[in-house]
């Protein structure tokens, strides 16, 4: 059962944070009441009912562009056996607010993650990000070293992608045959028929099925493609090596062997990071944690054990 916690992000945007497992049982002597997060949605916040969180670091999980918190459910569940793990629906995504005039800048995304850590009561957290969420994670780590205790970067490039890439994405959105008649059609198109798919990829089909909702005329994405393009244009024209070099906490760079982050760039990112480490997951594409959840766990668990052990 997922538990929703409301967070207020930059500019007052309402964000949905999710716990997909029961928080770990902790020694009462180590609980820190003043670090308690906000109450569950619909709950009242009186001193006796407000939850407390452990003093040991927790984990914040940030999805990529078009993603949603539920894409982290598998990871969050095994993490929650020993740590408090919370996944955030970022602005414009999932069940978070999608205001037409909201800001979709890098600063807004980073401030949202910063607000989530503070309001959820996750001091000295490990932040795990995929793609765009990874960029947000390392920019936050550079900005607020007091909040971020460790960092995992999953399949995100630090180099500029360029104007051609943005045009390709705009054309790709236009090619979607929306509305889809059924979720089976969603799975088939994104897993097999999408021109961007080199070979059948059922995990990719499932990934996109999770970001669809039923409308009167069929299945459509829960996000606005225009907002996704606005979000993306704030990072594709620039490189992000400078912020990477400013990260002081331990950091793990993970790539799928068939993902978008090449080995040479990933290893250069590790070199630039003052405390960088490297891991790769075989038989995984860009959606590393979703393609190969067990191999993903094997790749990141030793790092997490090192930074999350009190």
């Amino acid at each position: 059962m997922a538990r929703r916690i409301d967070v207020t992000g930059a500019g007052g945007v309402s964000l949905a944070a999710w716990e997909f497992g029961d928080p770990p049982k902790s020694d009462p002597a180590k609980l820190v009441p003043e670090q308690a997060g906000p109450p569950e949605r619909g709950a009242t916040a009186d001193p006796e009912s407000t939850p407390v969180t452990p003093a040991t670091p927790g984990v914040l999980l940030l999805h990529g562009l078009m993603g949603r918190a539920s894409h982290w459910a598998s990871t969050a569940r095994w993490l929650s056996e020993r740590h408090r793990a919370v996944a955030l629906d970022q602005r414009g995504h999932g069940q978070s607010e999608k205001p037409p005039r909201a800001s979709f800048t890098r600063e807004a995304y980073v401030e949202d993650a910063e607000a989530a850590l503070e309001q959820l009561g996750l001091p000295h957290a490990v932040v795990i990000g995929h793609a765009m969420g990874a960029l947000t994670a390392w920019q936050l780590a550079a900005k607020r070293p007091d909040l971020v205790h460790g960092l995992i970067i999953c399949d995100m490039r630090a180099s500029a992608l360029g104007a051609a890439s943005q045009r390709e994405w705009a054309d790709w959105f236009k090619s979607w045959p929306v509305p889809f008649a059924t979720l089976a059609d969603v799975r088939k198109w994104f897993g097999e028929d999408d021109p961007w798919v080199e070979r059948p990829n059922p995990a990719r089909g499932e990934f996109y099925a999770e970001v669809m909702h039923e409308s009167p005329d069929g299945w459509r994405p829960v996000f606005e493609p225009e907002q996704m393009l606005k979000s993306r244009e704030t990072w594709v024209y620039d490189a992000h090596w400078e912020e990477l070099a400013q990260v002081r906490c331990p950091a793990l760079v993970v790539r799928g062997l068939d993902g978008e982050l090449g080995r040479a760039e990933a290893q250069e990112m590790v070199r630039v990071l003052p405390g960088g480490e490297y891991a790769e997951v075989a038989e995984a594409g860009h959606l590393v944690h979703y393609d190969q959840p067990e191999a993903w766990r094997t790749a990141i668990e030793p790092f997490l054990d090192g930074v999350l052990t009190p």
Side-chain angles (χ1 to χ4, degrees):
M1 180 67 70
R3 183 172 78 102
R4 172 173 172 161
I5 306 169
D6 288 336
V7 171
T8 302
V13 173
S14 177
L15 307 172
W18 301 88
E19 288 184 289
F20 294 97
D22 293 330
K25 300 296 186 292
S26 302
D27 179 349
K30 295 181 180 179
L31 296 179
V32 185
E34 60 269 23
Q35 292 175 350
E40 293 182 52
R41 196 176 194 187
T44 56
D46 64 75
E48 294 185 2
S49 66
T50 301
V52 291
T53 58
T56 53
V59 181
L60 180 68
L61 299 134
L62 300 175
H63 60 74
L65 189 72
M66 301 182 294
R68 65 186 307 167
S70 62
H71 287 144
W72 289 114
S74 173
T75 299
R77 287 190 181 106
W78 63 258
L79 280 171
S80 68
E81 295 169 7
R82 290 190 292 165
H83 313 286
R84 186 176 181 218
V86 183
L88 182 68
D89 275 338
Q90 296 174 80
R91 60 177 52 216
H93 296 75
Q95 292 191 29
S96 287
E97 196 176 3
K98 306 166 182 67
R101 295 178 180 81
S103 173
F104 290 93
T105 62
R106 285 284 78 227
E107 292 78 12
Y109 277 103
V110 172
E111 288 173 17
D112 286 349
E114 184 178 358
L117 287 178
E118 292 175 333
Q119 293 172 39
L120 292 166
L122 291 174
H124 313 298
V126 172
V127 183
I128 302 176
H130 172 245
M132 178 192 75
L135 176 58
T136 300
W138 87 62
Q139 289 178 328
L140 174 61
K143 178 185 178 185
R144 291 293 304 274
D146 57 311
L147 284 180
V148 183
H149 183 73
L151 174 68
I152 296 181
I153 297 167
C154 179
D155 217 65
M156 179 61 186
R157 300 177 61 183
S159 57
L161 302 180
S165 170
Q166 188 72 352
R167 289 193 296 271
E168 289 170 1
W169 270 69
D171 291 341
W172 179 58
F173 276 128
K174 292 175 185 175
S175 76
W176 291 17
V178 291
F180 294 92
T182 68
L183 279 179
D185 292 324
V186 174
R187 295 185 183 98
K188 185 176 186 301
W189 196 82
F190 286 101
E192 300 177 25
D193 300 338
D194 182 350
W196 284 16
V197 176
E198 295 180 359
R199 55 183 179 274
N201 186 342
R204 188 175 188 268
E206 290 293 341
F207 182 95
Y208 282 96
E210 280 197 51
V211 296
M212 297 289 161
H213 68 119
E214 192 169 14
S215 301
D217 59 349
W219 292 84
R220 295 178 177 274
V222 299
F223 52 79
E224 295 294 335
E226 294 80 8
Q227 292 184 348
M228 299 300 99
L229 288 172
K230 283 182 181 178
S231 297
R232 195 173 186 273
E233 72 183 8
T234 64
W235 88 73
V236 296
Y237 302 116
D238 299 311
H240 305 283
W241 296 97
E242 184 176 349
E243 300 107 306
L244 203 65
Q246 294 169 2
V247 173
R248 291 289 174 259
C249 64
L252 177 67
V253 177
V254 185
R255 63 178 290 266
L257 209 59
D258 298 317
E260 296 178 8
L261 176 61
R263 180 181 283 117
E265 183 169 354
Q267 292 178 343
E268 179 63 12
M269 289 169 67
V270 171
R271 189 192 69 78
V272 168
L273 284 159
E277 300 178 31
Y278 175 76
E280 63 183 28
V281 178
E283 299 182 11
H286 177 59
L287 308 174
V288 183
H289 58 298
Y290 207 84
D291 283 347
Q292 301 291 338
E294 292 303 318
W296 158 254
R297 177 173 181 172
T298 299
I300 70 171
E301 200 162 25
F303 174 83
L304 289 170
D305 286 344
V307 296
L308 286 171
T309 302

